[in-house]
């Protein structure tokens, strides 16, 4: 199974939970997040990122995978809230492939 396909299908489900698509906050966790607004979505991303750090520090591989899945999921909700798709993130990663981190950083616009 292709990881890109999984992300695309998950993004479709997340998009279908938006209020404009008929998502019901009474029956859908994602619809409830959208209903609460961007700050609530971003708070969840931050919480999940912290849980990833803690799982990695604990050295618990299974917990780390679980927490990264939660972080990716909530990051996808944040993307959806901004009208973005995981394919755009994958395209950015593909653009960076083969560049050193220093090269990639040097190519970024700096204020």
């Amino acid at each position: 199974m292709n990881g890109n396909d999984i992300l695309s299908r998950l993004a479709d489900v997340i998009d279908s939970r938006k209020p404009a698509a008929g998502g019901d906050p009474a029956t859908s966790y994602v619809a409830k997040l959208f209903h609460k607004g961007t700050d609530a979505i971003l708070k969840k991303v931050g919480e999940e990122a912290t849980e990833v750090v803690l799982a990695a520090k604990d050295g618990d591989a299974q917990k780390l995978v679980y927490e990264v899945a939660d972080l990716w999921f909530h990051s996808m909700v944040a993307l959806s809230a901004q009208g973005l798709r995981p394919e755009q993130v994958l395209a950015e990663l593909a653009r960076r492939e083969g560049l050193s981190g220093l090269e990639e950083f040097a190519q970024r616009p700096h204020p």
Side-chain angles (χ1 to χ4, degrees):
M1 184 172 286
N2 185 331
N4 296 357
D5 294 340
I6 292 167
L7 293 176
S8 183
R9 287 194 313 271
L10 180 56
D12 291 343
V13 171
I14 290 169
D15 287 345
S16 76
R17 302 298 196 261
K18 288 182 172 182
D24 182 1
T27 60
S28 166
Y29 170 73
V30 173
K32 187 182 290 190
L33 280 176
F34 282 128
H35 180 73
K36 288 181 178 180
T38 303
D39 286 349
I41 293 167
L42 299 178
K43 181 179 177 185
K44 283 303 295 181
V45 171
E47 289 171 5
E48 298 303 339
T50 299
E51 291 174 8
V52 166
V53 169
L54 294 173
K57 285 186 68 66
D58 289 345
D60 184 335
Q62 185 174 358
K63 186 173 182 186
L64 179 59
V65 168
Y66 180 87
E67 295 300 347
V68 168
D70 280 352
L71 176 59
W72 286 12
F73 175 81
H74 287 90
S75 295
M76 289 179 63
V77 174
L79 286 170
S80 179
Q82 298 296 315
L84 300 169
R85 299 276 305 180
E87 294 85 358
Q88 291 168 274
V89 177
L90 294 171
E92 175 60 17
L93 289 171
R95 183 192 70 78
R96 295 180 187 188
E97 186 175 16
L99 292 177
S100 78
L102 296 175
E103 288 174 312
E104 192 281 323
F105 184 77
Q107 290 179 3
R108 292 181 192 176
H110 298 281

